[in-house]
Amino acid sequence: MTKSNLYRQYQKTAKIPYQLYNRRPGTDYGWLEVVTGNMFSGKSEHLIMSYFDILQADRFYVRSAQREGIDVIPRNVKAYKHSADKRYAESSIIAHSGMSIPCTAVDSVDRLVLDILTEDIHVALIDEVQFFQEKSESGQYAIVEAALHLLADKRFIIMAGLDKDFRGLPFGPIADLLAIADAKPYYVSTCAVCGAPATLPQRLIDGKPARYDDPVVLVGAAESYEPRCRSCHQILTDEDSYINKMEDLKAL
């Protein structure tokens, strides 16, 4: 038999395992997607649409595998959020557009990881991840160490959260999570003052800009935050602050 005939015979008899050309994050490998951006930009909508997309993709995957004579099961998919976020409902992730999915609220990274492992969740979607600010004994953010552990365990994790706090600085663990992320969708909203692209959250207390030294975590909705561009973003500072010194230098 010639070499070409041997190859044709191989083509007829050899069968590539279905899982090798249709590998899924959450069962075959770990994957971390960190969705960031400003408030009112569509981060929660991204998370919610990902939830439905994954469920639908698994339905197609199972049917296709069954046609190949292979038994596979859908991935276990579950959504979470930090319990500090009580703006709309404790047991749902609700976007500003009104879209929603059921979720479990947790108050710590330990409870989050315990639930994922206990229920054998393959795909975990986590909203408002910036609120997981506790640190481990090593000084690292616990949510970052948890993400690395879950990725090594072949889990698919999608996290969403603000990338900047009201001062315009990295918000809690977000910067470290972005550093280890495999995918990093970023969303921009519209400035509530001038309509320009907005990348900063403006905190307002009694209608006035918050002070630079105010607490970072203050959960609120439209009455305490609004999206602003860099030109319209304001924070109150002390007279001897670095920001005011820079303004004095520009005036020279």
Side-chain angles (χ1 to χ4, degrees), residues 36-43 162-164 186-202 226-233:
T36 61
N38 201 11
M39 57 181 302
F40 302 131
S41 63
K43 300 183 302 299
L162 287 168
D163 62 326
K164 304 180 188 71
Y186 184 82
Y187 288 90
V188 175
S189 52
T190 302
C191 180
V193 176
C194 71
T199 60
L200 294 164
Q202 175 69 59
E226 64 182 27
R228 295 271 183 103
C229 66
R230 290 195 178 275
S231 296
C232 298
H233 184 258

Side-chain angles (χ1 to χ4, degrees), residues 164-170 200-201 211-214 216 233 235:
K164 304 180 188 71
D165 62 25
F166 74 98
R167 300 168 299 178
L169 299 177
L200 294 164
R211 295 186 59 81
Y212 186 88
D213 55 0
D214 283 345
V216 171
H233 184 258
I235 49 175

Side-chain angles (χ1 to χ4, degrees), residues 140-167:
Q140 177 64 269
Y141 283 106
I143 189 66
V144 177
E145 293 186 349
L148 290 171
H149 171 77
L150 294 170
L151 290 171
D153 201 32
K154 299 181 180 179
R155 312 283 173 163
F156 182 12
I157 314 165
I158 305 178
M159 299 178 173
L162 287 168
D163 62 326
K164 304 180 188 71
D165 62 25
F166 74 98
R167 300 168 299 178

Side-chain angles (χ1 to χ4, degrees), residues 208-227:
K208 298 179 180 179
R211 295 186 59 81
Y212 186 88
D213 55 0
D214 283 345
V216 171
V217 177
L218 176 65
V219 182
E223 71 274 6
S224 56
Y225 285 101
E226 64 182 27

Side-chain angles (χ1 to χ4, degrees), residues 27 61 86 103:
T27 54
Y61 182 90
K86 297 182 175 67
C103 77

Side-chain angles (χ1 to χ4, degrees), residues 13-239:
T13 59
K15 187 176 183 65
I16 300 174
Y18 186 82
Q19 291 87 346
L20 291 184
Y21 59 88
N22 282 278
R23 294 171 64 81
R24 296 180 297 173
T27 54
D28 301 305
Y29 60 92
W31 187 265
L32 173 61
E33 181 175 311
V34 178
V35 185
T36 61
N38 201 11
M39 57 181 302
F40 302 131
S41 63
K43 300 183 302 299
S44 294
E45 283 91 341
H46 181 111
L47 202 72
I48 293 168
M49 291 304 299
S50 296
Y51 177 87
F52 292 117
D53 287 345
I54 291 166
L55 293 178
Q56 184 176 19
D58 267 20
R59 285 193 289 268
F60 284 119
Y61 182 90
V62 171
R63 292 173 191 166
S64 299
Q66 289 173 344
R67 286 196 294 268
E68 297 283 341
I70 300 170
D71 291 327
V72 296
I73 60 173
R75 291 167 293 183
N76 295 326
V77 183
K78 189 172 182 178
Y80 301 87
K81 71 175 182 179
H82 198 286
S83 58
D85 181 17
K86 297 182 175 67
R87 294 171 298 171
Y88 302 112
E90 292 188 13
S91 59
S92 299
I93 294 174
I94 303 177
H96 297 292
S97 63
M99 299 172 60
S100 67
I101 55 174
C103 77
T104 296
V106 293
D107 59 4
S108 69
V109 174
D110 287 343
R111 289 184 179 273
L112 172 67
V113 174
L114 179 62
D115 192 271
I116 291 173
L117 297 180
T118 302
E119 298 196 19
D120 194 22
I121 301 301
H122 302 111
V123 184
L125 302 96
I126 308 165
D127 201 18
E128 305 295 350
V129 71
Q130 74 274 3
F131 292 136
F132 290 96
Q133 298 206 9
E134 63 263 41
K135 293 189 176 183
S136 66
E137 294 180 358
S138 66
Q140 177 64 269
Y141 283 106
I143 189 66
V144 177
E145 293 186 349
L148 290 171
H149 171 77
L150 294 170
L151 290 171
D153 201 32
K154 299 181 180 179
R155 312 283 173 163
F156 182 12
I157 314 165
I158 305 178
M159 299 178 173
L162 287 168
D163 62 326
K164 304 180 188 71
D165 62 25
F166 74 98
R167 300 168 299 178
L169 299 177
F171 203 148
I174 291 292
D176 291 346
L177 289 170
L178 284 169
I180 65 172
D182 300 296
K184 310 169 187 181
Y186 184 82
Y187 288 90
V188 175
S189 52
T190 302
C191 180
V193 176
C194 71
T199 60
L200 294 164
Q202 175 69 59
R203 179 186 286 177
L204 299 172
I205 300 177
D206 295 328
K208 298 179 180 179
R211 295 186 59 81
Y212 186 88
D213 55 0
D214 283 345
V216 171
V217 177
L218 176 65
V219 182
E223 71 274 6
S224 56
Y225 285 101
E226 64 182 27
R228 295 271 183 103
C229 66
R230 290 195 178 275
S231 296
C232 298
H233 184 258
Q234 294 179 309
I235 49 175
L236 300 180
T237 59
D238 296 328
E239 292 183 1

